[in-house]
Amino acid sequence: MLDTLRRIVQEVTSAENLDQALKIIVARVKLAMGVEVCSVYLKDKQRGENVLMASDGLNPESIGNVRLHDAQGLIGLVGEREEPLNLADAPSHPRFEYFPETGEERFRSFLGVPIIHHRQPLGVLVVQRRADAPFGEDSVSFLVTVAAQLAGAIAHAEASGGISGLTSGKGRRARSVEPLQGQPGAAGVAMGTVVVCYHDADLDTVPDREVRDTRAEVKKFRRAVAAVSAEIQAMLERMASVLPVEDRALFDAYLMMLDGDSLVGDTIARIRQGNWARGALRDTIHEHLRAFDAMEDAYLRERAEDVRDLGRRILTKLAAEGPVEPRKFPAHTILVGEEITASMLAEVPIKRLAGVVSVRGSSTSHVAILARAMGVAAVMGVSDLPVGRVDGRKIIADGYTGRVYIDPPRRVRDEFRHLLREEQELSKELSDLRDLPAITPDKVGVPLYVNSGLLADVSPSRKSGAEGIGLYRTEFPFMIRDRFPGEEEQCQIYRQVLEAFSPAPVVMRTLDVGGDKALPYFPIEEDNPFLGWRGIRISLDHPEIFLVQLRAMLRASAGLNNMDLLFPMINSVVEVDDAMRLLRRAHHELVDAGVNISMPRVGVMIEVPSAVYQVRELARRVNFLSVGTNDLTQYLLAVDRNNARVADLYDGLHPAVIRALQQIVDGAHEEQTPVSVCGELAGDPVAVILLLGMGVDSLSMSAANLPRIKWVIRSFTQRRARKLLKEALTFEYTHAVRNYLNAALEDAGLGGLVRAGR
Ligand code: PEP
Ligand code: MG
């Protein structure tokens, strides 16, 4: 059963559209369970109905025509109860509703299970038999497993089906495109054209792309096939003397596939319909893989790998011919991908980048943080986005609510244009605050700093009115290179940043890779990367890398003396002691070599729970603390900051996080150590009211958020913030905290800062 299930899921996942996915489901489930009927009903949310979308066993004419309103019939009952319904004699059930066009009166037993994706009911999966006996426990659990496994694939196919149906003119269905739901990544609204990021060597990530000159594209494809043929022929000749004849059959099979009509002919037919060779090849290979995968014979199923291999080889040849034309980034480019990396972002000219949409990740993923630093909207974790089918499409990415609209109708476009105008007005109002100090009406100063990591964002940071850099993430320059940068190279990067802000302070954090921040040239394979080798752990295990960085930082600060050092991911005093020892060593080495530099101020990040409980011991050892609320929230709540599935659970206003923050601030102040907050919470207007009430000494955030936060600081007295904090600490629910603080913002006349959709 497991094997059957795996194969069904695989086939459905690679289906080209919703119709195909549903047809596969009903045919395979019917066969696997040995039943007479298998059908799928999907919800039409607009009309509040369940529609028979596919069936193997019911009258084909009824497909698309049988519609039951939400509370109607046995299908409605399964949807309501959100549980399986197993009946020996369905027609005798009071809720049974008879549709003569289905011909289902012949079938007595009925098993229906709900299809639920992210807590949302999508529809019902049903099997029926003539026999009037209930289904056994095995059958029920099999169908429940199938429905649970397929819910994501169905949601995905529903999204792709809707989109391709509306744009290609084929299979057009009268249905409106609903927005796809992801997580807010970076505030703002982006309206523009999609450019899909894909890997040249990965068939699965190749997007569709329209070509006009299909003849030239066919020629290019034939050249690639001929090149692969020649390559295999050469292999065969080389192996001829060592391989027995029967093993050579594999190469012959490859050559036959390249010669025959199906693989080559099918791809050419697809190119002639207007898709580029790579997209056409992807569809052909996927179709072949489905056919192989459905085979009962294990040996033949294994041959699927050969087809995939051939596909990869042809793709490599196509990619080697270079892109059709140099990669173009239109004005208002919205970068879309399964997973967008820092280097992909860096490829787009900054003036052309309007937004980022990623299938994976969440608001605290580093790509989202980068997007915020660059002032572009981002939506993360849009798991149902059909990446392969959206290249070149018009799209709206709403970074406030996490919604994505593909080819939006005019009404939606107008709405968003209005929102953009409002935004521009708000930022104009906020820009008037630029040169005013961040001081509360009762004269408490809360210096505001920016988070940075790219040279490109030094200038927006300066323009934002920041008093310095509160967190410079040194890993970003490491991430966009293809090797560790040397001491001199690093020194120059750091020097530019320190000079740009001098005499204002810059807090430089030592390398914080691992977790979700991978260096392409330093791969780390771990089961639980966020609990593994990351941050200071790597630096302490590799003093040769750490010392180079420390020396580069110290040398960069010579004569400027505006650098503070920060150690990430500290989990015990031992790590601080060890890091300090290496810092002192680097300093001595430089002083011995005649470089005149003073020791910087040193801080540690409080971002793991153990550090919260040892905050006083840590505070005693350093000059300042900086709270990394992104990681602290992740570790306190045990919610992966990048996992879209649990993103709803990730919230820095969770009462437990608020209490931990209070404990950190109190502990640090008992040791007379200042404490700053540099995680994303410092850029959230409602959270800042609480941080002000706690007495946090400074805040660091993305440049784009700084003006709003200054507005909050200038609008709330610390006295009032303390009162609000006291009340907020009594709440048990996260949403209650947020509602309460949103109301406080509205009362203070800052309603424009209340985030939509939260
Ligand atoms: C944090 O964890 O809050 C933080 C500022 O560090 P990073 O986001 O780089 O992990
Ligand atoms: Mg962190």
Side-chain angles (χ1 to χ4, degrees):
M1 274 305 190
L2 247 184
D3 201 34
T4 314
L5 187 64
R6 183 192 58 78
R7 275 164 43 205
I8 299 177
V9 172
Q10 241 174 31
E11 272 192 81
V12 172
T13 312
S14 58
E16 278 174 35
N17 53 40
L18 180 64
D19 274 350
Q20 198 180 51
L22 297 180
K23 277 189 187 131
I24 296 170
I25 293 172
V26 290
R28 302 281 179 269
V29 171
K30 180 182 165 196
L31 193 72
M33 293 183 70
V35 291
E36 279 116 9
V37 180
C38 178
S39 316
V40 175
Y41 293 80
L42 289 188
K43 254 190 188 322
D44 178 342
K45 286 193 208 122
Q46 303 276 311
R47 296 169 59 165
E49 290 174 341
N50 287 305
V51 187
L52 176 63
M53 295 291 288
S55 179
D56 191 336
L58 295 185
N59 191 345
E61 261 86 78
S62 59
I63 294 169
N65 292 320
V66 171
R67 292 178 160 266
L68 301 93
H69 65 74
D70 274 349
Q72 198 183 357
L74 296 176
I75 303 301
L77 186 60
V78 176
E80 263 163 48
R81 293 172 15 131
E82 299 190 339
E83 269 190 303
L85 182 66
N86 184 3
L87 303 172
D89 184 22
S92 66
H93 192 281
R95 286 282 291 265
F96 180 77
E97 195 115 355
Y98 176 50
F99 287 85
E101 62 266 47
T102 58
E104 68 180 327
E105 68 279 6
R106 292 168 285 153
F107 308 108
R108 304 213 77 76
S109 53
F110 169 103
L111 172 60
V113 302
I115 307 169
I116 300 176
H117 181 55
H118 289 323
R119 298 194 186 182
Q120 295 296 321
L122 294 182
V124 178
L125 179 60
V126 177
V127 290
Q128 290 171 282
R129 281 184 321 204
R130 281 175 205 273
D132 59 350
F135 286 85
E137 198 176 279
D138 281 356
S139 301
V140 178
S141 41
F142 177 74
L143 204 62
V144 167
T145 318
V146 171
Q149 285 265 317
L150 290 179
I154 291 176
H156 189 92
E158 203 174 17
S160 334
I163 290 157
S164 53
L166 273 169
T167 52
S168 68
K170 283 178 273 167
R172 183 184 286 252
R173 258 193 234 123
R175 46 175 298 195
S176 64
V177 181
E178 290 202 20
L180 302 171
Q181 189 65 56
Q183 296 295 322
V189 169
M191 298 174 78
T193 310
V194 172
V195 173
V196 169
C197 307
Y198 63 95
H199 298 289
D200 269 347
D202 182 358
L203 203 58
D204 295 334
T205 65
V206 168
D208 280 348
R209 190 165 290 170
E210 217 177 296
V211 280
R212 297 233 169 83
D213 190 351
T214 50
R215 288 179 66 178
E217 198 65 10
V218 168
K219 268 194 192 155
K220 189 194 285 181
F221 175 66
R222 285 199 192 280
R223 273 201 302 277
V225 171
V228 174
S229 255
E231 207 173 82
I232 293 170
Q233 194 67 50
M235 263 188 235
L236 186 58
E237 278 158 24
R238 270 201 311 277
M239 297 289 187
S241 55
V242 275
L243 270 189
V245 179
E246 57 279 15
D247 288 346
R248 274 186 263 154
L250 174 64
F251 293 97
D252 291 332
Y254 268 40
L255 289 172
M256 262 160 62
M257 277 196 257
L258 288 174
D259 238 6
D261 232 16
S262 68
L263 211 149
V264 176
D266 287 358
T267 306
I268 289 177
R270 286 188 162 100
I271 297 173
R272 289 195 175 127
Q273 282 172 8
N275 205 351
W276 68 332
R278 300 187 213 186
L281 176 70
R282 179 208 60 213
D283 280 349
T284 307
I285 296 292
H286 281 169
E287 191 180 64
H288 280 68
L289 289 179
R290 276 196 297 278
F292 274 106
D293 232 20
M295 289 175 183
E296 287 302 324
D297 183 306
Y299 174 79
L300 284 176
R301 270 208 319 272
E302 284 300 311
R303 302 283 63 78
E305 257 324 293
D306 300 339
V307 174
R308 195 178 268 289
D309 184 39
L310 262 186
R312 252 186 247 124
R313 283 171 187 277
I314 302 173
L315 183 69
T316 312
K317 296 286 178 223
L318 285 169
E321 287 216 15
V324 202
E325 55 222 14
R327 198 129 173 83
K328 277 197 195 136
F329 295 104
H332 308 291
T333 289
I334 301 186
L335 216 52
V336 172
E338 286 288 335
E339 194 151 31
I340 296 169
T341 61
S343 53
M344 286 169 176
L345 262 190
E347 225 184 285
V348 192
I350 199 156
K351 286 213 166 66
R352 292 183 170 259
L353 184 65
V356 173
V357 176
S358 173
V359 171
R360 302 213 199 110
S362 72
S363 68
T364 50
S365 304
H366 285 90
V367 171
I369 290 173
L370 267 177
R372 277 196 288 277
M374 295 161 94
V376 301
V379 178
M380 309 294 294
V382 195
S383 48
D384 297 330
L385 183 78
V387 176
R389 314 231 173 256
V390 294
D391 198 60
R393 298 264 163 91
K394 295 283 178 234
I395 162 179
I396 296 178
D398 180 350
Y400 295 107
T401 60
R403 293 195 190 115
V404 173
Y405 300 77
I406 297 173
D407 290 331
R410 191 184 174 142
R411 179 185 51 76
V412 177
R413 287 202 310 269
D414 288 348
E415 226 171 83
F416 276 94
R417 284 208 186 95
H418 180 70
L419 211 109
L420 274 175
R421 267 196 302 279
E422 276 185 1
E423 266 226 331
Q424 278 155 4
E425 277 158 28
L426 178 66
S427 21
K428 208 164 145 280
E429 226 174 291
L430 292 176
S431 67
D432 295 342
L433 299 178
R434 200 198 106 107
D435 296 318
L436 299 175
I439 292 185
T440 63
D442 53 352
K443 303 282 175 263
V444 179
V446 185
L448 302 184
Y449 298 94
V450 281
N451 294 345
S452 165
L454 295 172
L455 281 176
D457 58 30
V458 165
S459 136
S461 302
R462 298 202 52 178
K463 285 198 202 120
S464 67
E467 297 187 33
I469 293 189
L471 171 66
Y472 181 80
R473 293 180 163 101
T474 56
E475 51 277 9
F476 288 139
F478 279 68
M479 280 155 85
I480 54 181
R481 285 179 168 66
D482 53 12
R483 57 180 167 79
F484 280 108
E487 185 172 323
E488 190 49 42
E489 204 177 339
Q490 286 188 49
C491 179
Q492 279 176 19
I493 300 169
Y494 306 150
R495 180 84 188 176
Q496 282 183 54
V497 180
L498 293 171
E499 267 175 354
F501 271 84
S502 167
V506 173
V507 179
M508 291 228 158
R509 183 173 73 182
T510 60
L511 194 61
D512 185 21
V513 289
D516 68 329
K517 286 177 284 192
L519 298 179
Y521 46 89
F522 191 65
I524 303 168
E525 287 293 329
E526 286 177 322
D527 283 344
N528 290 303
F530 276 111
L531 300 183
W533 207 38
R534 63 169 298 206
I536 198 73
R537 302 171 186 181
I538 298 182
S539 296
L540 293 176
D541 286 352
H542 278 283
E544 77 286 13
I545 297 171
F546 194 37
L547 283 166
V548 165
Q549 184 175 40
L550 292 173
R551 272 198 306 268
M553 288 172 152
L554 291 170
R555 282 177 48 210
S557 72
L560 294 171
N561 297 328
N562 62 336
M563 181 185 76
D564 295 347
L565 261 189
L566 183 61
F567 297 130
M569 278 295 291
I570 291 295
N571 118 0
S572 68
V573 291
V574 179
E575 286 173 343
V576 185
D577 295 344
D578 288 350
M580 289 300 288
R581 196 163 26 76
L582 287 165
L583 174 63
R584 276 192 288 270
R585 190 171 129 193
H587 184 243
H588 280 152
E589 281 168 11
L590 289 172
V591 173
D592 284 352
V595 190
N596 180 19
I597 27 170
S598 45
M599 264 293 268
R601 279 167 26 101
V602 177
V604 294
M605 290 199 70
I606 305 295
E607 48 184 351
V608 302
S610 57
V612 178
Y613 293 105
Q614 275 201 303
V615 70
R616 292 192 62 171
E617 291 83 341
L618 293 169
R620 252 178 254 145
R621 286 169 160 76
V622 288
N623 306 101
F624 66 97
L625 301 182
S626 188
V627 188
T629 50
N630 306 338
D631 278 316
L632 186 60
T633 306
Q634 140 163 290
Y635 293 124
L636 275 178
L637 304 184
V639 178
D640 178 343
R641 63 194 259 187
N642 286 313
N643 185 339
R645 245 186 235 155
V646 287
D648 281 350
L649 301 176
Y650 183 99
D651 197 326
L653 290 185
H654 189 295
V657 179
I658 302 174
R659 285 177 211 175
L661 289 169
Q662 176 78 73
Q663 198 169 330
I664 295 167
V665 178
D666 291 348
H669 286 172
E670 275 164 45
E671 298 296 332
Q672 281 79 47
T673 306
V675 53
S676 148
V677 174
C678 68
E680 294 304 312
L681 215 57
D684 180 349
V686 292
V688 163
I689 302 176
L690 300 181
L691 299 176
L692 177 63
M694 288 173 196
V696 164
D697 299 282
S698 60
L699 300 168
S700 190
M701 67 215 70
S702 65
N705 281 334
L706 195 135
R708 308 165 190 252
I709 300 306
K710 195 184 273 185
W711 203 16
V712 175
I713 299 286
R714 293 182 59 84
S715 307
F716 283 82
T717 59
Q718 191 172 51
R719 227 172 119 234
R720 170 125 177 84
R722 271 202 208 110
K723 273 200 185 140
L724 290 166
L725 168 68
K726 196 167 165 212
E727 185 67 19
L729 281 166
T730 63
F731 291 129
E732 295 180 3
Y733 296 100
T734 308
H735 69 264
V737 177
R738 191 169 287 282
N739 292 344
Y740 178 68
L741 296 170
N742 274 340
L745 278 181
E746 306 248 10
D747 279 354
L750 310 189
L753 300 185
V754 174
R755 282 211 213 159
R758 288 220 67 158

